[in-house]
PDB file of all heavy atoms in Angstrom:
ATOM      1  N   SER A 102      26.384 270.592 129.075  1.00  0.00           N
ATOM      2  CA  SER A 102      26.245 270.084 127.815  1.00  0.00           C
ATOM      3  C   SER A 102      25.019 269.187 127.762  1.00  0.00           C
ATOM      4  O   SER A 102      24.315 269.246 126.638  1.00  0.00           O
ATOM      5  CB  SER A 102      27.479 269.163 127.467  1.00  0.00           C
ATOM      6  OG  SER A 102      28.716 270.013 127.451  1.00  0.00           O
ATOM      7  N   LEU A 103      24.674 268.425 128.754  1.00  0.00           N
ATOM      8  CA  LEU A 103      23.456 267.650 128.726  1.00  0.00           C
ATOM      9  C   LEU A 103      22.318 268.575 128.670  1.00  0.00           C
ATOM     10  O   LEU A 103      21.426 268.323 127.842  1.00  0.00           O
ATOM     11  CB  LEU A 103      23.549 266.742 130.016  1.00  0.00           C
ATOM     12  CG  LEU A 103      22.304 265.672 129.988  1.00  0.00           C
ATOM     13  CD1 LEU A 103      22.667 264.532 130.829  1.00  0.00           C
ATOM     14  CD2 LEU A 103      20.954 266.302 130.601  1.00  0.00           C
ATOM     15  N   LEU A 104      22.294 269.539 129.501  1.00  0.00           N
ATOM     16  CA  LEU A 104      21.145 270.461 129.428  1.00  0.00           C
ATOM     17  C   LEU A 104      20.917 271.250 128.311  1.00  0.00           C
ATOM     18  O   LEU A 104      19.869 271.506 127.688  1.00  0.00           O
ATOM     19  CB  LEU A 104      21.326 271.514 130.722  1.00  0.00           C
ATOM     20  CG  LEU A 104      21.289 270.944 132.145  1.00  0.00           C
ATOM     21  CD1 LEU A 104      21.802 271.998 133.156  1.00  0.00           C
ATOM     22  CD2 LEU A 104      19.752 270.605 132.432  1.00  0.00           C
ATOM     23  N   LYS A 105      22.144 271.771 127.558  1.00  0.00           N
ATOM     24  CA  LYS A 105      22.042 272.369 126.322  1.00  0.00           C
ATOM     25  C   LYS A 105      21.343 271.507 125.278  1.00  0.00           C
ATOM     26  O   LYS A 105      20.568 271.930 124.485  1.00  0.00           O
ATOM     27  CB  LYS A 105      23.356 272.857 125.903  1.00  0.00           C
ATOM     28  CG  LYS A 105      23.428 273.584 124.543  1.00  0.00           C
ATOM     29  CD  LYS A 105      24.852 274.141 124.411  1.00  0.00           C
ATOM     30  CE  LYS A 105      25.886 273.089 124.220  1.00  0.00           C
ATOM     31  NZ  LYS A 105      27.212 273.645 123.860  1.00  0.00           N
ATOM     32  N   THR A 106      21.770 270.245 125.150  1.00  0.00           N
ATOM     33  CA  THR A 106      21.286 269.321 124.271  1.00  0.00           C
ATOM     34  C   THR A 106      19.653 269.024 124.520  1.00  0.00           C
ATOM     35  O   THR A 106      18.925 268.928 123.628  1.00  0.00           O
ATOM     36  CB  THR A 106      21.919 267.968 124.394  1.00  0.00           C
ATOM     37  OG1 THR A 106      23.442 268.077 124.174  1.00  0.00           O
ATOM     38  CG2 THR A 106      21.472 266.815 123.364  1.00  0.00           C
ATOM     39  N   LEU A 107      19.427 268.960 125.839  1.00  0.00           N
ATOM     40  CA  LEU A 107      18.005 268.811 126.090  1.00  0.00           C
ATOM     41  C   LEU A 107      17.131 270.037 125.700  1.00  0.00           C
ATOM     42  O   LEU A 107      16.131 269.969 125.101  1.00  0.00           O
ATOM     43  CB  LEU A 107      17.787 268.565 127.712  1.00  0.00           C
ATOM     44  CG  LEU A 107      16.408 268.472 128.285  1.00  0.00           C
ATOM     45  CD1 LEU A 107      15.798 267.138 127.707  1.00  0.00           C
ATOM     46  CD2 LEU A 107      16.470 268.312 129.812  1.00  0.00           C
ATOM     47  N   TYR A 108      17.496 271.171 126.154  1.00  0.00           N
ATOM     48  CA  TYR A 108      16.763 272.355 125.782  1.00  0.00           C
ATOM     49  C   TYR A 108      16.650 272.570 124.278  1.00  0.00           C
ATOM     50  O   TYR A 108      15.686 273.276 123.813  1.00  0.00           O
ATOM     51  CB  TYR A 108      17.470 273.617 126.331  1.00  0.00           C
ATOM     52  CG  TYR A 108      17.019 273.945 127.770  1.00  0.00           C
ATOM     53  CD1 TYR A 108      17.430 273.197 128.969  1.00  0.00           C
ATOM     54  CD2 TYR A 108      16.020 274.981 128.015  1.00  0.00           C
ATOM     55  CE1 TYR A 108      17.064 273.427 130.222  1.00  0.00           C
ATOM     56  CE2 TYR A 108      15.620 275.231 129.267  1.00  0.00           C
ATOM     57  CZ  TYR A 108      16.093 274.560 130.407  1.00  0.00           C
ATOM     58  OH  TYR A 108      15.594 274.812 131.629  1.00  0.00           O
ATOM     59  N   ARG A 109      17.622 272.206 123.597  1.00  0.00           N
ATOM     60  CA  ARG A 109      17.565 272.456 122.115  1.00  0.00           C
ATOM     61  C   ARG A 109      16.897 271.288 121.322  1.00  0.00           C
ATOM     62  O   ARG A 109      16.860 271.334 120.081  1.00  0.00           O
ATOM     63  CB  ARG A 109      19.006 272.689 121.576  1.00  0.00           C
ATOM     64  CG  ARG A 109      19.626 273.909 122.124  1.00  0.00           C
ATOM     65  CD  ARG A 109      20.917 274.181 121.663  1.00  0.00           C
ATOM     66  NE  ARG A 109      21.511 275.479 122.066  1.00  0.00           N
ATOM     67  CZ  ARG A 109      22.698 275.950 121.890  1.00  0.00           C
ATOM     68  NH1 ARG A 109      23.607 275.234 121.135  1.00  0.00           N
ATOM     69  NH2 ARG A 109      23.070 277.057 122.308  1.00  0.00           N
ATOM     70  N   ASN A 110      16.523 270.289 122.034  1.00  0.00           N
ATOM     71  CA  ASN A 110      15.698 269.164 121.424  1.00  0.00           C
ATOM     72  C   ASN A 110      14.304 269.603 121.085  1.00  0.00           C
ATOM     73  O   ASN A 110      13.612 270.220 121.946  1.00  0.00           O
ATOM     74  CB  ASN A 110      15.654 267.853 122.254  1.00  0.00           C
ATOM     75  CG  ASN A 110      15.143 266.717 121.604  1.00  0.00           C
ATOM     76  OD1 ASN A 110      13.946 266.649 121.301  1.00  0.00           O
ATOM     77  ND2 ASN A 110      16.067 265.804 121.442  1.00  0.00           N
ATOM     78  N   PRO A 111      13.852 269.309 119.798  1.00  0.00           N
ATOM     79  CA  PRO A 111      12.470 269.783 119.476  1.00  0.00           C
ATOM     80  C   PRO A 111      11.323 269.223 120.394  1.00  0.00           C
ATOM     81  O   PRO A 111      10.253 269.776 120.442  1.00  0.00           O
ATOM     82  CB  PRO A 111      12.235 269.372 118.034  1.00  0.00           C
ATOM     83  CG  PRO A 111      13.661 269.097 117.607  1.00  0.00           C
ATOM     84  CD  PRO A 111      14.548 268.781 118.739  1.00  0.00           C
ATOM     85  N   GLY A 112      11.681 268.048 121.041  1.00  0.00           N
ATOM     86  CA  GLY A 112      10.628 267.474 121.906  1.00  0.00           C
ATOM     87  C   GLY A 112      10.543 267.999 123.279  1.00  0.00           C
ATOM     88  O   GLY A 112       9.609 267.453 124.084  1.00  0.00           O
ATOM     89  N   PHE A 113      11.420 268.827 123.723  1.00  0.00           N
ATOM     90  CA  PHE A 113      11.514 269.271 125.088  1.00  0.00           C
ATOM     91  C   PHE A 113      10.516 270.440 125.232  1.00  0.00           C
ATOM     92  O   PHE A 113      10.487 271.458 124.424  1.00  0.00           O
ATOM     93  CB  PHE A 113      12.852 269.814 125.318  1.00  0.00           C
ATOM     94  CG  PHE A 113      13.083 270.422 126.796  1.00  0.00           C
ATOM     95  CD1 PHE A 113      12.988 269.568 127.922  1.00  0.00           C
ATOM     96  CD2 PHE A 113      13.319 271.646 126.918  1.00  0.00           C
ATOM     97  CE1 PHE A 113      12.966 270.125 129.144  1.00  0.00           C
ATOM     98  CE2 PHE A 113      13.566 272.198 128.240  1.00  0.00           C
ATOM     99  CZ  PHE A 113      13.300 271.505 129.290  1.00  0.00           C
ATOM    100  N   MET A 114       9.744 270.335 126.308  1.00  0.00           N
ATOM    101  CA  MET A 114       8.744 271.397 126.629  1.00  0.00           C
ATOM    102  C   MET A 114       9.125 271.831 128.012  1.00  0.00           C
ATOM    103  O   MET A 114       8.789 271.079 129.010  1.00  0.00           O
ATOM    104  CB  MET A 114       7.286 270.882 126.750  1.00  0.00           C
ATOM    105  CG  MET A 114       6.815 270.475 125.329  1.00  0.00           C
ATOM    106  SD  MET A 114       5.062 270.084 125.186  1.00  0.00           S
ATOM    107  CE  MET A 114       4.979 268.777 126.397  1.00  0.00           C
ATOM    108  N   GLU A 115       9.738 273.031 128.228  1.00  0.00           N
ATOM    109  CA  GLU A 115      10.263 273.472 129.498  1.00  0.00           C
ATOM    110  C   GLU A 115       9.161 273.488 130.503  1.00  0.00           C
ATOM    111  O   GLU A 115       9.329 273.091 131.608  1.00  0.00           O
ATOM    112  CB  GLU A 115      10.981 274.720 129.380  1.00  0.00           C
ATOM    113  CG  GLU A 115      11.594 275.255 130.559  1.00  0.00           C
ATOM    114  CD  GLU A 115      12.260 276.587 130.529  1.00  0.00           C
ATOM    115  OE1 GLU A 115      12.245 277.174 129.511  1.00  0.00           O
ATOM    116  OE2 GLU A 115      12.816 277.153 131.551  1.00  0.00           O
ATOM    117  N   GLY A 116       7.909 273.904 130.110  1.00  0.00           N
ATOM    118  CA  GLY A 116       6.913 274.057 131.078  1.00  0.00           C
ATOM    119  C   GLY A 116       6.389 272.774 131.497  1.00  0.00           C
ATOM    120  O   GLY A 116       5.693 272.774 132.523  1.00  0.00           O
ATOM    121  N   GLY A 117       6.641 271.715 130.782  1.00  0.00           N
ATOM    122  CA  GLY A 117       6.141 270.423 131.168  1.00  0.00           C
ATOM    123  C   GLY A 117       7.171 269.568 131.838  1.00  0.00           C
ATOM    124  O   GLY A 117       6.838 268.406 132.224  1.00  0.00           O
ATOM    125  N   THR A 118       8.360 270.051 132.063  1.00  0.00           N
ATOM    126  CA  THR A 118       9.345 269.231 132.732  1.00  0.00           C
ATOM    127  C   THR A 118      10.082 270.120 133.793  1.00  0.00           C
ATOM    128  O   THR A 118      10.608 271.237 133.566  1.00  0.00           O
ATOM    129  CB  THR A 118      10.433 268.891 131.684  1.00  0.00           C
ATOM    130  OG1 THR A 118       9.881 268.122 130.628  1.00  0.00           O
ATOM    131  CG2 THR A 118      11.590 267.966 132.295  1.00  0.00           C
ATOM    132  N   THR A 119      10.123 269.572 134.996  1.00  0.00           N
ATOM    133  CA  THR A 119      10.951 270.286 136.062  1.00  0.00           C
ATOM    134  C   THR A 119      12.205 269.676 136.250  1.00  0.00           C
ATOM    135  O   THR A 119      12.288 268.380 136.440  1.00  0.00           O
ATOM    136  CB  THR A 119      10.051 270.191 137.401  1.00  0.00           C
ATOM    137  OG1 THR A 119       8.755 270.796 137.338  1.00  0.00           O
ATOM    138  CG2 THR A 119      10.797 270.874 138.516  1.00  0.00           C
ATOM    139  N   ILE A 120      13.335 270.241 136.124  1.00  0.00           N
ATOM    140  CA  ILE A 120      14.699 269.815 136.390  1.00  0.00           C
ATOM    141  C   ILE A 120      15.183 270.180 137.740  1.00  0.00           C
ATOM    142  O   ILE A 120      15.399 271.449 138.019  1.00  0.00           O
ATOM    143  CB  ILE A 120      15.655 270.231 135.235  1.00  0.00           C
ATOM    144  CG1 ILE A 120      15.046 269.916 133.757  1.00  0.00           C
ATOM    145  CG2 ILE A 120      16.962 269.718 135.454  1.00  0.00           C
ATOM    146  CD1 ILE A 120      15.886 270.528 132.690  1.00  0.00           C
ATOM    147  N   HIS A 121      15.391 269.235 138.586  1.00  0.00           N
ATOM    148  CA  HIS A 121      15.881 269.369 139.864  1.00  0.00           C
ATOM    149  C   HIS A 121      17.545 269.112 139.839  1.00  0.00           C
ATOM    150  O   HIS A 121      17.829 268.226 139.336  1.00  0.00           O
ATOM    151  CB  HIS A 121      15.303 268.530 140.922  1.00  0.00           C
ATOM    152  CG  HIS A 121      13.793 268.539 141.017  1.00  0.00           C
ATOM    153  ND1 HIS A 121      13.119 269.482 141.735  1.00  0.00           N
ATOM    154  CD2 HIS A 121      12.834 267.706 140.422  1.00  0.00           C
ATOM    155  CE1 HIS A 121      11.762 269.311 141.483  1.00  0.00           C
ATOM    156  NE2 HIS A 121      11.756 268.194 140.805  1.00  0.00           N
ATOM    157  N   VAL A 122      18.204 270.106 140.529  1.00  0.00           N
ATOM    158  CA  VAL A 122      19.660 269.702 140.496  1.00  0.00           C
ATOM    159  C   VAL A 122      20.022 269.242 141.886  1.00  0.00           C
ATOM    160  O   VAL A 122      19.500 269.704 142.945  1.00  0.00           O
ATOM    161  CB  VAL A 122      20.497 271.001 140.323  1.00  0.00           C
ATOM    162  CG1 VAL A 122      21.979 270.834 140.624  1.00  0.00           C
ATOM    163  CG2 VAL A 122      20.362 271.548 138.988  1.00  0.00           C
ATOM    164  N   VAL A 123      20.744 268.030 141.893  1.00  0.00           N
ATOM    165  CA  VAL A 123      21.192 267.466 143.135  1.00  0.00           C
ATOM    166  C   VAL A 123      22.726 267.545 143.186  1.00  0.00           C
ATOM    167  O   VAL A 123      23.414 266.960 142.320  1.00  0.00           O
ATOM    168  CB  VAL A 123      20.789 265.991 143.315  1.00  0.00           C
ATOM    169  CG1 VAL A 123      21.268 265.413 144.557  1.00  0.00           C
ATOM    170  CG2 VAL A 123      19.237 266.026 143.391  1.00  0.00           C
ATOM    171  N   SER A 124      23.333 268.310 144.122  1.00  0.00           N
ATOM    172  CA  SER A 124      24.855 268.414 144.255  1.00  0.00           C
ATOM    173  C   SER A 124      25.438 267.195 145.044  1.00  0.00           C
ATOM    174  O   SER A 124      24.876 267.063 146.243  1.00  0.00           O
ATOM    175  CB  SER A 124      25.165 269.673 144.770  1.00  0.00           C
ATOM    176  OG  SER A 124      24.529 270.762 144.118  1.00  0.00           O
ATOM    177  N   ASN A 125      26.246 266.450 144.547  1.00  0.00           N
ATOM    178  CA  ASN A 125      26.715 265.289 145.354  1.00  0.00           C
ATOM    179  C   ASN A 125      28.191 265.382 145.691  1.00  0.00           C
ATOM    180  O   ASN A 125      28.881 266.090 144.944  1.00  0.00           O
ATOM    181  CB  ASN A 125      26.622 264.003 144.380  1.00  0.00           C
ATOM    182  CG  ASN A 125      26.689 262.715 145.248  1.00  0.00           C
ATOM    183  OD1 ASN A 125      26.428 262.698 146.483  1.00  0.00           O
ATOM    184  ND2 ASN A 125      27.119 261.683 144.613  1.00  0.00           N
ATOM    185  N   ARG A 126      28.545 264.684 146.730  1.00  0.00           N
ATOM    186  CA  ARG A 126      30.000 264.724 147.116  1.00  0.00           C
ATOM    187  C   ARG A 126      30.488 266.131 147.397  1.00  0.00           C
ATOM    188  O   ARG A 126      31.559 266.472 147.015  1.00  0.00           O
ATOM    189  CB  ARG A 126      30.833 263.925 146.233  1.00  0.00           C
ATOM    190  CG  ARG A 126      30.502 262.559 145.932  1.00  0.00           C
ATOM    191  CD  ARG A 126      31.287 261.893 144.906  1.00  0.00           C
ATOM    192  NE  ARG A 126      30.860 260.524 144.543  1.00  0.00           N
ATOM    193  CZ  ARG A 126      31.151 259.933 143.507  1.00  0.00           C
ATOM    194  NH1 ARG A 126      31.859 260.427 142.475  1.00  0.00           N
ATOM    195  NH2 ARG A 126      30.791 258.574 143.209  1.00  0.00           N
ATOM    196  N   VAL A 127      29.807 266.891 148.140  1.00  0.00           N
ATOM    197  CA  VAL A 127      30.163 268.137 148.464  1.00  0.00           C
ATOM    198  C   VAL A 127      30.633 268.303 149.875  1.00  0.00           C
ATOM    199  O   VAL A 127      30.323 267.380 150.772  1.00  0.00           O
ATOM    200  CB  VAL A 127      29.046 269.203 148.388  1.00  0.00           C
ATOM    201  CG1 VAL A 127      28.584 269.273 146.792  1.00  0.00           C
ATOM    202  CG2 VAL A 127      27.860 268.834 149.167  1.00  0.00           C
ATOM    203  N   GLY A 128      31.455 269.395 150.290  1.00  0.00           N
ATOM    204  CA  GLY A 128      31.933 269.431 151.645  1.00  0.00           C
ATOM    205  C   GLY A 128      31.155 270.351 152.596  1.00  0.00           C
ATOM    206  O   GLY A 128      31.450 270.234 153.710  1.00  0.00           O
ATOM    207  N   SER A 129      30.204 271.033 152.013  1.00  0.00           N
ATOM    208  CA  SER A 129      29.403 271.833 152.774  1.00  0.00           C
ATOM    209  C   SER A 129      27.988 272.183 152.135  1.00  0.00           C
ATOM    210  O   SER A 129      28.030 271.936 150.845  1.00  0.00           O
ATOM    211  CB  SER A 129      30.121 273.212 153.158  1.00  0.00           C
ATOM    212  OG  SER A 129      30.322 273.925 151.950  1.00  0.00           O
ATOM    213  N   ALA A 130      27.052 272.788 152.792  1.00  0.00           N
ATOM    214  CA  ALA A 130      25.833 273.128 152.168  1.00  0.00           C
ATOM    215  C   ALA A 130      26.159 274.279 151.245  1.00  0.00           C
ATOM    216  O   ALA A 130      25.432 274.360 150.229  1.00  0.00           O
ATOM    217  CB  ALA A 130      24.839 273.558 153.245  1.00  0.00           C
ATOM    218  N   GLU A 131      27.088 275.193 151.441  1.00  0.00           N
ATOM    219  CA  GLU A 131      27.422 276.228 150.612  1.00  0.00           C
ATOM    220  C   GLU A 131      27.869 275.793 149.358  1.00  0.00           C
ATOM    221  O   GLU A 131      27.588 276.299 148.205  1.00  0.00           O
ATOM    222  CB  GLU A 131      28.371 277.254 151.298  1.00  0.00           C
ATOM    223  CG  GLU A 131      27.800 278.013 152.543  1.00  0.00           C
ATOM    224  CD  GLU A 131      27.686 277.054 153.775  1.00  0.00           C
ATOM    225  OE1 GLU A 131      28.400 275.970 153.845  1.00  0.00           O
ATOM    226  OE2 GLU A 131      27.011 277.490 154.751  1.00  0.00           O
ATOM    227  N   GLU A 132      28.763 274.774 149.330  1.00  0.00           N
ATOM    228  CA  GLU A 132      29.275 274.267 148.090  1.00  0.00           C
ATOM    229  C   GLU A 132      28.318 273.640 147.376  1.00  0.00           C
ATOM    230  O   GLU A 132      28.268 273.681 146.088  1.00  0.00           O
ATOM    231  CB  GLU A 132      30.480 273.232 148.468  1.00  0.00           C
ATOM    232  CG  GLU A 132      31.197 272.744 147.243  1.00  0.00           C
ATOM    233  CD  GLU A 132      32.313 271.799 147.545  1.00  0.00           C
ATOM    234  OE1 GLU A 132      32.167 270.972 148.438  1.00  0.00           O
ATOM    235  OE2 GLU A 132      33.347 271.852 146.756  1.00  0.00           O
ATOM    236  N   GLY A 133      27.357 272.973 147.932  1.00  0.00           N
ATOM    237  CA  GLY A 133      26.123 272.345 147.230  1.00  0.00           C
ATOM    238  C   GLY A 133      25.421 273.438 146.435  1.00  0.00           C
ATOM    239  O   GLY A 133      24.953 273.145 145.355  1.00  0.00           O
ATOM    240  N   LYS A 134      25.139 274.406 147.213  1.00  0.00           N
ATOM    241  CA  LYS A 134      24.352 275.502 146.552  1.00  0.00           C
ATOM    242  C   LYS A 134      25.104 276.170 145.469  1.00  0.00           C
ATOM    243  O   LYS A 134      24.526 276.600 144.337  1.00  0.00           O
ATOM    244  CB  LYS A 134      23.971 276.558 147.650  1.00  0.00           C
ATOM    245  CG  LYS A 134      22.984 277.647 147.131  1.00  0.00           C
ATOM    246  CD  LYS A 134      21.593 276.972 146.859  1.00  0.00           C
ATOM    247  CE  LYS A 134      20.580 278.077 146.456  1.00  0.00           C
ATOM    248  NZ  LYS A 134      20.212 278.985 147.600  1.00  0.00           N
ATOM    249  N   ALA A 135      26.418 276.211 145.543  1.00  0.00           N
ATOM    250  CA  ALA A 135      27.256 276.687 144.515  1.00  0.00           C
ATOM    251  C   ALA A 135      27.146 276.041 143.243  1.00  0.00           C
ATOM    252  O   ALA A 135      27.219 276.668 142.124  1.00  0.00           O
ATOM    253  CB  ALA A 135      28.736 277.004 144.967  1.00  0.00           C
ATOM    254  N   VAL A 136      27.144 274.770 143.336  1.00  0.00           N
ATOM    255  CA  VAL A 136      27.057 273.833 142.124  1.00  0.00           C
ATOM    256  C   VAL A 136      25.779 274.229 141.373  1.00  0.00           C
ATOM    257  O   VAL A 136      25.776 274.355 140.117  1.00  0.00           O
ATOM    258  CB  VAL A 136      27.028 272.444 142.484  1.00  0.00           C
ATOM    259  CG1 VAL A 136      26.596 271.526 141.352  1.00  0.00           C
ATOM    260  CG2 VAL A 136      28.416 271.959 142.983  1.00  0.00           C
ATOM    261  N   TYR A 137      24.611 274.284 142.172  1.00  0.00           N
ATOM    262  CA  TYR A 137      23.415 274.694 141.436  1.00  0.00           C
ATOM    263  C   TYR A 137      23.498 276.071 140.883  1.00  0.00           C
ATOM    264  O   TYR A 137      22.979 276.246 139.762  1.00  0.00           O
ATOM    265  CB  TYR A 137      22.235 274.603 142.506  1.00  0.00           C
ATOM    266  CG  TYR A 137      21.094 275.385 142.144  1.00  0.00           C
ATOM    267  CD1 TYR A 137      20.176 275.070 141.183  1.00  0.00           C
ATOM    268  CD2 TYR A 137      20.749 276.731 142.834  1.00  0.00           C
ATOM    269  CE1 TYR A 137      19.118 275.839 140.717  1.00  0.00           C
ATOM    270  CE2 TYR A 137      19.810 277.410 142.455  1.00  0.00           C
ATOM    271  CZ  TYR A 137      18.855 277.034 141.485  1.00  0.00           C
ATOM    272  OH  TYR A 137      17.932 277.810 141.043  1.00  0.00           O
ATOM    273  N   GLU A 138      24.020 277.040 141.503  1.00  0.00           N
ATOM    274  CA  GLU A 138      24.006 278.460 141.129  1.00  0.00           C
ATOM    275  C   GLU A 138      24.777 278.547 139.775  1.00  0.00           C
ATOM    276  O   GLU A 138      24.386 279.300 138.874  1.00  0.00           O
ATOM    277  CB  GLU A 138      24.476 279.388 142.132  1.00  0.00           C
ATOM    278  CG  GLU A 138      23.492 279.529 143.340  1.00  0.00           C
ATOM    279  CD  GLU A 138      24.080 280.363 144.483  1.00  0.00           C
ATOM    280  OE1 GLU A 138      25.363 280.492 144.557  1.00  0.00           O
ATOM    281  OE2 GLU A 138      23.323 280.741 145.389  1.00  0.00           O
ATOM    282  N   LYS A 139      25.865 277.844 139.628  1.00  0.00           N
ATOM    283  CA  LYS A 139      26.672 277.859 138.447  1.00  0.00           C
ATOM    284  C   LYS A 139      25.891 277.376 137.276  1.00  0.00           C
ATOM    285  O   LYS A 139      25.850 277.894 136.206  1.00  0.00           O
ATOM    286  CB  LYS A 139      28.003 277.104 138.621  1.00  0.00           C
ATOM    287  CG  LYS A 139      29.001 277.775 139.600  1.00  0.00           C
ATOM    288  CD  LYS A 139      30.141 276.857 139.951  1.00  0.00           C
ATOM    289  CE  LYS A 139      31.157 277.411 140.898  1.00  0.00           C
ATOM    290  NZ  LYS A 139      32.280 276.608 141.162  1.00  0.00           N
ATOM    291  N   LEU A 140      25.348 276.217 137.565  1.00  0.00           N
ATOM    292  CA  LEU A 140      24.466 275.530 136.433  1.00  0.00           C
ATOM    293  C   LEU A 140      23.274 276.432 135.965  1.00  0.00           C
ATOM    294  O   LEU A 140      23.030 276.728 134.890  1.00  0.00           O
ATOM    295  CB  LEU A 140      23.986 274.248 136.788  1.00  0.00           C
ATOM    296  CG  LEU A 140      25.038 273.116 136.845  1.00  0.00           C
ATOM    297  CD1 LEU A 140      24.480 271.842 137.398  1.00  0.00           C
ATOM    298  CD2 LEU A 140      25.679 272.906 135.521  1.00  0.00           C
ATOM    299  N   ASN A 141      22.632 277.009 137.110  1.00  0.00           N
ATOM    300  CA  ASN A 141      21.406 277.740 136.839  1.00  0.00           C
ATOM    301  C   ASN A 141      21.675 279.113 136.140  1.00  0.00           C
ATOM    302  O   ASN A 141      20.999 279.563 135.305  1.00  0.00           O
ATOM    303  CB  ASN A 141      20.588 278.162 138.098  1.00  0.00           C
ATOM    304  CG  ASN A 141      19.225 278.626 137.804  1.00  0.00           C
ATOM    305  OD1 ASN A 141      18.461 278.032 137.135  1.00  0.00           O
ATOM    306  ND2 ASN A 141      18.997 279.761 138.588  1.00  0.00           N
TER     307      ASN A 141
END
């Protein structure tokens, strides 16, 4: 929902902003990567 609001804001320039995902409180490296893959 935050990303959708950001992308649809007229002031957002995707090429000028890098969005990094950090997965927190995960049980494994695989679970952390899965959080990113779902969002991406």
Side-chain angles (χ1 to χ4, degrees):
S102 295
L103 188 153
L104 289 165
K105 181 170 62 175
T106 303
L107 177 63
Y108 269 79
R109 294 179 177 176
N110 189 291
F113 178 66
M114 296 187 302
E115 185 180 0
T118 304
T119 300
I120 302 177
H121 306 280
V122 173
V123 176
S124 305
N125 194 28
R126 298 175 185 164
V127 300
S129 66
E131 292 75 18
E132 186 177 36
K134 189 65 177 295
V136 169
Y137 158 74
E138 289 175 343
K139 290 175 183 177
L140 286 174
N141 192 54

